[in-house]
mmCIF file of all heavy atoms in Angstrom:
data_model
loop_
_atom_site.group_PDB
_atom_site.id
_atom_site.type_symbol
_atom_site.label_atom_id
_atom_site.label_comp_id
_atom_site.label_asym_id
_atom_site.label_seq_id
_atom_site.Cartn_x
_atom_site.Cartn_y
_atom_site.Cartn_z
ATOM 1 N N ARG A 1049 33.184 -59.740 19.308
ATOM 2 C CA ARG A 1049 32.630 -61.003 18.823
ATOM 3 C C ARG A 1049 31.205 -60.780 18.525
ATOM 4 O O ARG A 1049 30.532 -60.396 19.499
ATOM 5 C CB ARG A 1049 33.036 -62.168 19.731
ATOM 6 C CG ARG A 1049 34.363 -62.456 19.783
ATOM 7 C CD ARG A 1049 34.682 -63.739 20.600
ATOM 8 N NE ARG A 1049 36.193 -63.770 20.909
ATOM 9 C CZ ARG A 1049 36.732 -64.703 21.626
ATOM 10 N NH1 ARG A 1049 35.990 -65.771 22.088
ATOM 11 N NH2 ARG A 1049 38.012 -64.793 21.761
ATOM 12 N N ASN A 1050 30.810 -61.214 17.408
ATOM 13 C CA ASN A 1050 29.319 -61.160 17.131
ATOM 14 C C ASN A 1050 28.659 -62.416 17.617
ATOM 15 O O ASN A 1050 28.222 -63.285 16.791
ATOM 16 C CB ASN A 1050 29.152 -61.157 15.538
ATOM 17 C CG ASN A 1050 27.782 -60.661 15.132
ATOM 18 O OD1 ASN A 1050 26.980 -60.275 15.936
ATOM 19 N ND2 ASN A 1050 27.629 -60.446 13.845
ATOM 20 N N GLU A 1051 28.515 -62.459 18.860
ATOM 21 C CA GLU A 1051 27.989 -63.664 19.657
ATOM 22 C C GLU A 1051 26.538 -63.892 19.228
ATOM 23 O O GLU A 1051 25.735 -62.969 19.150
ATOM 24 C CB GLU A 1051 28.123 -63.504 21.151
ATOM 25 C CG GLU A 1051 29.436 -63.152 21.747
ATOM 26 C CD GLU A 1051 30.297 -64.535 21.995
ATOM 27 O OE1 GLU A 1051 29.738 -65.594 21.690
ATOM 28 O OE2 GLU A 1051 31.432 -64.480 22.524
ATOM 29 N N ILE A 1052 26.196 -65.101 19.106
ATOM 30 C CA ILE A 1052 24.886 -65.506 18.759
ATOM 31 C C ILE A 1052 23.863 -65.402 19.929
ATOM 32 O O ILE A 1052 22.842 -64.923 19.841
ATOM 33 C CB ILE A 1052 24.805 -66.914 18.119
ATOM 34 C CG1 ILE A 1052 25.725 -67.072 16.919
ATOM 35 C CG2 ILE A 1052 23.394 -67.298 17.743
ATOM 36 C CD1 ILE A 1052 26.022 -68.436 16.446
ATOM 37 N N THR A 1053 24.363 -65.980 21.072
ATOM 38 C CA THR A 1053 23.555 -65.879 22.293
ATOM 39 C C THR A 1053 24.313 -65.197 23.396
ATOM 40 O O THR A 1053 24.867 -65.881 24.233
ATOM 41 C CB THR A 1053 23.064 -67.322 22.675
ATOM 42 O OG1 THR A 1053 24.168 -68.301 22.541
ATOM 43 C CG2 THR A 1053 21.803 -67.717 22.096
ATOM 44 N N PRO A 1054 24.460 -63.827 23.334
ATOM 45 C CA PRO A 1054 25.090 -63.175 24.371
ATOM 46 C C PRO A 1054 24.186 -63.066 25.617
ATOM 47 O O PRO A 1054 23.082 -63.584 25.621
ATOM 48 C CB PRO A 1054 25.357 -61.870 23.850
ATOM 49 C CG PRO A 1054 24.466 -61.684 22.647
ATOM 50 C CD PRO A 1054 23.835 -62.971 22.289
ATOM 51 N N GLY A 1055 24.612 -62.604 26.612
ATOM 52 C CA GLY A 1055 23.824 -62.381 27.886
ATOM 53 C C GLY A 1055 24.576 -62.592 29.195
ATOM 54 O O GLY A 1055 25.723 -62.663 29.212
ATOM 55 N N ASN A 1056 23.600 -62.714 30.182
ATOM 56 C CA ASN A 1056 24.135 -62.785 31.485
ATOM 57 C C ASN A 1056 25.070 -61.569 31.891
ATOM 58 O O ASN A 1056 26.263 -61.749 32.203
ATOM 59 C CB ASN A 1056 25.089 -64.059 31.797
ATOM 60 C CG ASN A 1056 24.079 -65.251 31.921
ATOM 61 O OD1 ASN A 1056 23.050 -65.067 32.558
ATOM 62 N ND2 ASN A 1056 24.468 -66.417 31.378
ATOM 63 N N PHE A 1057 24.520 -60.452 31.684
ATOM 64 C CA PHE A 1057 25.111 -59.201 32.138
ATOM 65 C C PHE A 1057 26.371 -59.034 31.318
ATOM 66 O O PHE A 1057 26.356 -59.115 30.206
ATOM 67 C CB PHE A 1057 25.254 -59.268 33.640
ATOM 68 C CG PHE A 1057 25.617 -57.872 34.274
ATOM 69 C CD1 PHE A 1057 25.212 -56.652 33.855
ATOM 70 C CD2 PHE A 1057 26.500 -57.807 35.433
ATOM 71 C CE1 PHE A 1057 25.484 -55.455 34.529
ATOM 72 C CE2 PHE A 1057 26.832 -56.716 36.049
ATOM 73 C CZ PHE A 1057 26.317 -55.452 35.507
ATOM 74 N N ILE A 1058 27.510 -58.760 31.955
ATOM 75 C CA ILE A 1058 28.689 -58.555 31.298
ATOM 76 C C ILE A 1058 29.560 -59.819 31.088
ATOM 77 O O ILE A 1058 30.599 -59.767 30.593
ATOM 78 C CB ILE A 1058 29.666 -57.532 32.090
ATOM 79 C CG1 ILE A 1058 29.906 -57.964 33.446
ATOM 80 C CG2 ILE A 1058 29.025 -56.133 31.986
ATOM 81 C CD1 ILE A 1058 31.004 -57.116 34.215
ATOM 82 N N PHE A 1059 28.887 -61.032 31.281
ATOM 83 C CA PHE A 1059 29.635 -62.196 31.040
ATOM 84 C C PHE A 1059 29.960 -62.505 29.574
ATOM 85 O O PHE A 1059 31.013 -62.810 29.175
ATOM 86 C CB PHE A 1059 28.806 -63.427 31.639
ATOM 87 C CG PHE A 1059 29.430 -64.819 31.285
ATOM 88 C CD1 PHE A 1059 30.542 -65.242 32.024
ATOM 89 C CD2 PHE A 1059 28.986 -65.516 30.257
ATOM 90 C CE1 PHE A 1059 31.066 -66.449 31.764
ATOM 91 C CE2 PHE A 1059 29.533 -66.739 29.919
ATOM 92 C CZ PHE A 1059 30.595 -67.144 30.684
ATOM 93 N N ARG A 1060 28.902 -62.390 28.788
ATOM 94 C CA ARG A 1060 29.075 -62.612 27.384
ATOM 95 C C ARG A 1060 28.595 -61.298 26.587
ATOM 96 O O ARG A 1060 27.413 -61.163 26.522
ATOM 97 C CB ARG A 1060 28.322 -63.880 26.885
ATOM 98 C CG ARG A 1060 28.695 -64.237 25.401
ATOM 99 C CD ARG A 1060 27.969 -65.477 25.041
ATOM 100 N NE ARG A 1060 28.380 -66.591 25.723
ATOM 101 C CZ ARG A 1060 29.430 -67.255 25.656
ATOM 102 N NH1 ARG A 1060 30.373 -66.979 24.864
ATOM 103 N NH2 ARG A 1060 29.650 -68.345 26.400
ATOM 104 N N VAL A 1061 29.519 -60.523 26.068
ATOM 105 C CA VAL A 1061 29.134 -59.324 25.497
ATOM 106 C C VAL A 1061 29.755 -59.299 24.068
ATOM 107 O O VAL A 1061 30.584 -60.187 23.612
ATOM 108 C CB VAL A 1061 29.642 -58.049 26.234
ATOM 109 C CG1 VAL A 1061 28.746 -57.868 27.541
ATOM 110 C CG2 VAL A 1061 31.046 -58.329 26.735
ATOM 111 N N LEU A 1062 29.385 -58.177 23.300
ATOM 112 C CA LEU A 1062 29.926 -58.255 21.917
ATOM 113 C C LEU A 1062 31.389 -57.495 21.884
ATOM 114 O O LEU A 1062 32.065 -57.803 20.882
ATOM 115 C CB LEU A 1062 28.950 -57.137 21.136
ATOM 116 C CG LEU A 1062 27.401 -57.742 21.144
ATOM 117 C CD1 LEU A 1062 26.513 -56.719 20.370
ATOM 118 C CD2 LEU A 1062 27.329 -59.125 20.512
ATOM 119 N N GLU A 1063 31.588 -56.636 22.825
ATOM 120 C CA GLU A 1063 32.781 -55.952 22.802
ATOM 121 C C GLU A 1063 33.451 -56.032 24.195
ATOM 122 O O GLU A 1063 32.674 -55.790 25.315
ATOM 123 C CB GLU A 1063 32.436 -54.489 22.501
ATOM 124 C CG GLU A 1063 33.517 -53.524 22.765
ATOM 125 C CD GLU A 1063 32.947 -52.048 22.517
ATOM 126 O OE1 GLU A 1063 31.964 -51.873 21.951
ATOM 127 O OE2 GLU A 1063 33.714 -51.194 22.954
ATOM 128 N N PHE A 1064 34.633 -56.543 24.413
ATOM 129 C CA PHE A 1064 35.193 -56.740 25.713
ATOM 130 C C PHE A 1064 36.678 -56.591 25.657
ATOM 131 O O PHE A 1064 37.284 -56.443 24.590
ATOM 132 C CB PHE A 1064 34.837 -58.258 26.149
ATOM 133 C CG PHE A 1064 35.145 -59.296 25.247
ATOM 134 C CD1 PHE A 1064 36.412 -60.000 25.448
ATOM 135 C CD2 PHE A 1064 34.373 -59.591 24.150
ATOM 136 C CE1 PHE A 1064 36.641 -61.044 24.490
ATOM 137 C CE2 PHE A 1064 34.662 -60.539 23.296
ATOM 138 C CZ PHE A 1064 35.852 -61.288 23.498
ATOM 139 N N GLU A 1065 37.234 -56.658 26.809
ATOM 140 C CA GLU A 1065 38.649 -56.485 26.779
ATOM 141 C C GLU A 1065 39.388 -57.816 27.280
ATOM 142 O O GLU A 1065 38.875 -58.480 28.160
ATOM 143 C CB GLU A 1065 39.153 -55.372 27.836
ATOM 144 C CG GLU A 1065 39.179 -54.040 27.165
ATOM 145 C CD GLU A 1065 39.845 -52.957 28.112
ATOM 146 O OE1 GLU A 1065 39.289 -52.763 29.178
ATOM 147 O OE2 GLU A 1065 40.836 -52.529 27.824
ATOM 148 N N GLN A 1066 40.532 -58.077 26.693
ATOM 149 C CA GLN A 1066 41.272 -59.275 27.009
ATOM 150 C C GLN A 1066 42.697 -58.849 27.606
ATOM 151 O O GLN A 1066 43.180 -57.867 27.055
ATOM 152 C CB GLN A 1066 41.594 -60.266 25.751
ATOM 153 C CG GLN A 1066 40.248 -60.814 25.211
ATOM 154 C CD GLN A 1066 40.535 -61.711 24.014
ATOM 155 O OE1 GLN A 1066 41.391 -61.260 23.174
ATOM 156 N NE2 GLN A 1066 39.861 -62.966 23.942
ATOM 157 N N MET A 1067 43.116 -59.634 28.436
ATOM 158 C CA MET A 1067 44.469 -59.521 28.970
ATOM 159 C C MET A 1067 45.091 -60.802 28.460
ATOM 160 O O MET A 1067 44.761 -61.848 29.000
ATOM 161 C CB MET A 1067 44.516 -59.290 30.448
ATOM 162 C CG MET A 1067 43.575 -58.135 30.921
ATOM 163 S SD MET A 1067 43.746 -57.796 32.791
ATOM 164 C CE MET A 1067 42.693 -59.242 33.418
ATOM 165 N N GLU A 1068 46.000 -60.727 27.568
ATOM 166 C CA GLU A 1068 46.446 -62.031 26.951
ATOM 167 C C GLU A 1068 48.150 -61.979 27.002
ATOM 168 O O GLU A 1068 48.749 -60.923 26.817
ATOM 169 C CB GLU A 1068 46.023 -62.185 25.472
ATOM 170 C CG GLU A 1068 44.597 -62.614 25.438
ATOM 171 C CD GLU A 1068 44.169 -63.072 24.018
ATOM 172 O OE1 GLU A 1068 44.461 -62.431 23.037
ATOM 173 O OE2 GLU A 1068 43.656 -64.200 24.015
ATOM 174 N N ILE A 1069 48.630 -63.211 27.085
ATOM 175 C CA ILE A 1069 50.030 -63.378 26.935
ATOM 176 C C ILE A 1069 50.288 -64.572 25.940
ATOM 177 O O ILE A 1069 49.622 -65.560 25.977
ATOM 178 C CB ILE A 1069 50.631 -63.784 28.218
ATOM 179 C CG1 ILE A 1069 50.482 -62.677 29.304
ATOM 180 C CG2 ILE A 1069 52.143 -64.090 28.084
ATOM 181 C CD1 ILE A 1069 50.652 -63.066 30.774
ATOM 182 N N GLU A 1070 51.096 -64.151 24.855
ATOM 183 C CA GLU A 1070 51.623 -65.360 24.036
ATOM 184 C C GLU A 1070 53.035 -65.575 24.584
ATOM 185 O O GLU A 1070 53.948 -64.730 24.476
ATOM 186 C CB GLU A 1070 51.723 -64.861 22.681
ATOM 187 C CG GLU A 1070 50.410 -64.343 22.155
ATOM 188 C CD GLU A 1070 49.216 -65.316 22.306
ATOM 189 O OE1 GLU A 1070 49.389 -66.539 22.125
ATOM 190 O OE2 GLU A 1070 48.157 -64.853 22.600
ATOM 191 N N TYR A 1071 53.180 -66.804 25.137
ATOM 192 C CA TYR A 1071 54.447 -67.227 25.699
ATOM 193 C C TYR A 1071 55.274 -68.260 24.777
ATOM 194 O O TYR A 1071 54.754 -69.314 24.530
ATOM 195 C CB TYR A 1071 54.232 -67.765 27.078
ATOM 196 C CG TYR A 1071 55.480 -67.752 27.931
ATOM 197 C CD1 TYR A 1071 55.856 -66.588 28.517
ATOM 198 C CD2 TYR A 1071 56.248 -68.896 28.161
ATOM 199 C CE1 TYR A 1071 57.011 -66.644 29.358
ATOM 200 C CE2 TYR A 1071 57.419 -68.892 28.894
ATOM 201 C CZ TYR A 1071 57.843 -67.712 29.494
ATOM 202 O OH TYR A 1071 58.918 -67.730 30.318
ATOM 203 N N PHE A 1072 56.405 -67.745 24.182
ATOM 204 C CA PHE A 1072 56.999 -68.548 23.186
ATOM 205 C C PHE A 1072 58.102 -69.423 23.808
ATOM 206 O O PHE A 1072 58.951 -68.975 24.589
ATOM 207 C CB PHE A 1072 57.684 -67.552 22.123
ATOM 208 C CG PHE A 1072 56.575 -66.718 21.502
ATOM 209 C CD1 PHE A 1072 56.403 -65.360 21.902
ATOM 210 C CD2 PHE A 1072 55.933 -67.128 20.405
ATOM 211 C CE1 PHE A 1072 55.421 -64.593 21.286
ATOM 212 C CE2 PHE A 1072 54.975 -66.392 19.835
ATOM 213 C CZ PHE A 1072 54.752 -65.096 20.265
ATOM 214 N N ILE A 1073 58.102 -70.641 23.385
ATOM 215 C CA ILE A 1073 58.968 -71.781 23.994
ATOM 216 C C ILE A 1073 59.519 -72.670 22.937
ATOM 217 O O ILE A 1073 59.048 -72.685 21.770
ATOM 218 C CB ILE A 1073 58.137 -72.480 24.984
ATOM 219 C CG1 ILE A 1073 56.827 -73.060 24.378
ATOM 220 C CG2 ILE A 1073 57.722 -71.699 26.301
ATOM 221 C CD1 ILE A 1073 56.071 -74.175 25.143
ATOM 222 N N GLU A 1074 60.423 -73.470 23.404
ATOM 223 C CA GLU A 1074 60.819 -74.616 22.560
ATOM 224 C C GLU A 1074 59.778 -75.778 22.687
ATOM 225 O O GLU A 1074 59.189 -75.991 23.805
ATOM 226 C CB GLU A 1074 62.121 -75.283 23.181
ATOM 227 C CG GLU A 1074 63.269 -74.325 23.369
ATOM 228 C CD GLU A 1074 64.129 -74.232 22.081
ATOM 229 O OE1 GLU A 1074 63.751 -74.743 21.068
ATOM 230 O OE2 GLU A 1074 65.050 -73.508 22.194
ATOM 231 N N GLU A 1075 59.492 -76.493 21.623
ATOM 232 C CA GLU A 1075 58.327 -77.454 21.486
ATOM 233 C C GLU A 1075 58.582 -78.456 22.827
ATOM 234 O O GLU A 1075 57.493 -78.781 23.371
ATOM 235 C CB GLU A 1075 58.401 -78.241 20.269
ATOM 236 C CG GLU A 1075 57.393 -79.205 20.277
ATOM 237 C CD GLU A 1075 57.177 -79.953 18.861
ATOM 238 O OE1 GLU A 1075 58.045 -79.747 17.975
ATOM 239 O OE2 GLU A 1075 56.266 -80.724 18.743
ATOM 240 N N ASN A 1076 59.754 -78.841 23.043
ATOM 241 C CA ASN A 1076 59.913 -79.946 24.079
ATOM 242 C C ASN A 1076 59.401 -79.412 25.439
ATOM 243 O O ASN A 1076 59.074 -80.289 26.249
ATOM 244 C CB ASN A 1076 61.338 -80.338 24.163
ATOM 245 C CG ASN A 1076 61.681 -81.228 23.062
ATOM 246 O OD1 ASN A 1076 60.769 -81.760 22.403
ATOM 247 N ND2 ASN A 1076 63.046 -81.314 22.788
ATOM 248 N N ASP A 1077 59.373 -78.202 25.692
ATOM 249 C CA ASP A 1077 58.986 -77.667 27.071
ATOM 250 C C ASP A 1077 57.516 -77.403 27.290
ATOM 251 O O ASP A 1077 57.108 -76.858 28.270
ATOM 252 C CB ASP A 1077 59.668 -76.385 27.212
ATOM 253 C CG ASP A 1077 61.292 -76.446 27.152
ATOM 254 O OD1 ASP A 1077 61.694 -77.614 27.451
ATOM 255 O OD2 ASP A 1077 61.913 -75.528 26.901
ATOM 256 N N TRP A 1078 56.677 -77.768 26.259
ATOM 257 C CA TRP A 1078 55.251 -77.271 26.327
ATOM 258 C C TRP A 1078 54.594 -77.772 27.476
ATOM 259 O O TRP A 1078 53.829 -77.031 28.182
ATOM 260 C CB TRP A 1078 54.584 -77.433 25.010
ATOM 261 C CG TRP A 1078 53.977 -78.798 24.773
ATOM 262 C CD1 TRP A 1078 54.514 -79.845 24.137
ATOM 263 C CD2 TRP A 1078 52.744 -79.258 25.250
ATOM 264 N NE1 TRP A 1078 53.711 -80.932 24.088
ATOM 265 C CE2 TRP A 1078 52.482 -80.539 24.757
ATOM 266 C CE3 TRP A 1078 51.617 -78.689 26.082
ATOM 267 C CZ2 TRP A 1078 51.483 -81.413 24.958
ATOM 268 C CZ3 TRP A 1078 50.468 -79.596 26.161
ATOM 269 C CH2 TRP A 1078 50.389 -80.774 25.744
#
Side-chain angles (χ1 to χ4, degrees):
R1049 295 185 188 179
N1050 199 357
E1051 299 273 4
I1052 301 166
T1053 36
N1056 285 323
F1057 191 36
I1058 55 172
F1059 174 79
R1060 189 180 298 285
V1061 281
L1062 304 176
E1063 171 185 342
F1064 54 97
E1065 271 191 297
Q1066 293 183 317
M1067 307 184 284
E1068 288 196 304
I1069 298 163
E1070 305 306 321
Y1071 199 77
F1072 300 98
I1073 53 166
E1074 306 274 4
E1075 179 174 8
N1076 284 340
D1077 298 336
W1078 83 264

